[in-house]
Amino acid sequence: MPTYRDDVVVLRTHKLGEADRIVTMLSRRHGKIRAVAKGVRRTSSRFGARLEPFMVADVQLYTGRSLDIVQQADSLGSYGADIAADYERYTAASAMVETADRLSEAESGPQQYLLLVGGLRALTLGEHAPRSILDSYLLRVMALAGWAPALAECARCGRAGPHDVFVAQLGGIVCRDCAPAGSPRVDAETVRLLGALMAGEWDTVDAAGPRATAGASGVVAAYAQWHLERGIRSLAHLSAGPREPA
């Protein structure tokens, strides 16, 4: 059977039989891969620890009839232990890999892989708040999937801003004429923070106040879950804070 190699991030695993696991991975060149790792639950496994969630590895696989088979795995980034040791990092990383798993095969590519690896690495380094790293990841991954939110002009009519209403269903910031009744308002600081999260302007992100940070997190969560068409379970363990209605 044909074999191939790729760099992967482990998204999730499931037990199979007494000693095997099914491993779901996001790869650099082959999109999402589901493969069987034989014998990895045995203590004598040569690469079981390299195929845990949040780990980055260079894997060799061969193509099976329904699932590929992992033949070899070499570690490229051991992020799992550092992330699992901190609750906020763990919940943020869980939301990241859940989002990557939810995106369709057509939307998975090298940029998606590199963005996820960068997010997991940032969580491990601990230089920024875990929730801000997650929010930045979610905005960028939505943009890569073709769903970048409008932040400067009205997403519906194109009127130049600034505007103070965000409607996920309409694609981002909208003017008050286009906003449905009861839509949540966002203040100017929160809108600036959303732009900084999208652009990776970490000086601005780290200096933001708690109200803007909470408001941006709520906006990002609503926007990502709207486009994924169902909730991100891991976000239930993270609070974003209330926003004022329009």
Side-chain angles (χ1 to χ4, degrees):
M1 294 185 182
T3 64
Y4 63 98
R5 297 189 72 94
D6 208 340
D7 300 338
V8 302
V9 181
V10 179
L11 305 179
R12 57 188 171 92
T13 65
H14 296 289
K15 293 179 180 179
L16 179 67
E18 295 184 357
D20 304 339
R21 277 200 182 105
I22 296 175
V23 185
T24 301
M25 301 166 280
L26 177 64
S27 73
R28 184 190 290 265
R29 294 179 294 274
H30 293 85
K32 280 195 297 186
I33 299 170
R34 294 182 76 242
V36 176
K38 293 184 177 295
V40 295
R41 289 162 54 203
R42 297 193 183 103
T43 56
S44 60
S45 172
R46 292 176 292 121
F47 51 79
R50 302 167 195 166
L51 296 175
E52 295 291 341
F54 316 137
M55 302 296 279
V56 183
D58 169 21
V59 297
Q60 178 175 302
L61 307 101
Y62 71 82
T63 306
R65 292 184 178 179
S66 57
L67 294 172
D68 295 347
I69 308 297
V70 179
Q71 293 180 309
Q72 183 179 342
D74 297 317
S75 178
L76 297 177
S78 300
Y79 304 132
D82 288 335
I83 288 174
D86 182 271
Y87 178 77
E88 290 188 3
R89 293 181 187 181
Y90 178 79
T91 51
S94 296
M96 287 182 187
V97 297
E98 185 179 348
T99 300
D101 194 21
R102 291 279 183 86
L103 292 171
S104 73
E105 185 68 28
E107 292 156 352
S108 297
Q111 289 180 302
Q112 300 277 15
Y113 166 84
L114 292 172
L115 184 62
L116 181 57
V117 171
L120 295 175
R121 183 184 297 117
L123 286 173
T124 301
L125 293 174
E127 295 176 350
H128 310 289
R131 186 61 194 260
S132 293
I133 294 171
L134 169 61
D135 290 341
S136 181
Y137 170 79
L138 291 175
L139 284 172
R140 292 184 187 189
V141 84
M142 291 296 109
L144 284 176
W147 301 320
L151 297 175
E153 67 285 331
C154 176
R156 187 173 185 182
C157 71
R159 183 186 301 174
H163 303 302
D164 64 353
V165 183
F166 191 97
V167 183
Q169 299 92 320
L170 297 180
I173 292 288
V174 296
C175 66
R176 294 199 183 186
D177 290 341
C178 293
S183 300
R185 288 186 186 175
V186 289
D187 58 32
E189 185 184 2
T190 300
V191 175
R192 285 194 297 271
L193 178 54
L194 289 168
L197 289 164
M198 176 77 80
E201 297 170 351
W202 289 103
D203 288 345
T204 300
V205 172
D206 294 340
R211 182 178 178 84
T213 300
S217 292
V219 166
V220 172
Y223 191 74
Q225 293 182 109
W226 168 261
H227 283 290
L228 293 174
E229 297 182 349
R230 52 179 173 169
I232 301 171
R233 293 188 302 273
S234 303
L235 288 179
H237 303 287
L238 298 164
S239 61
R243 298 189 305 282
E244 296 178 0

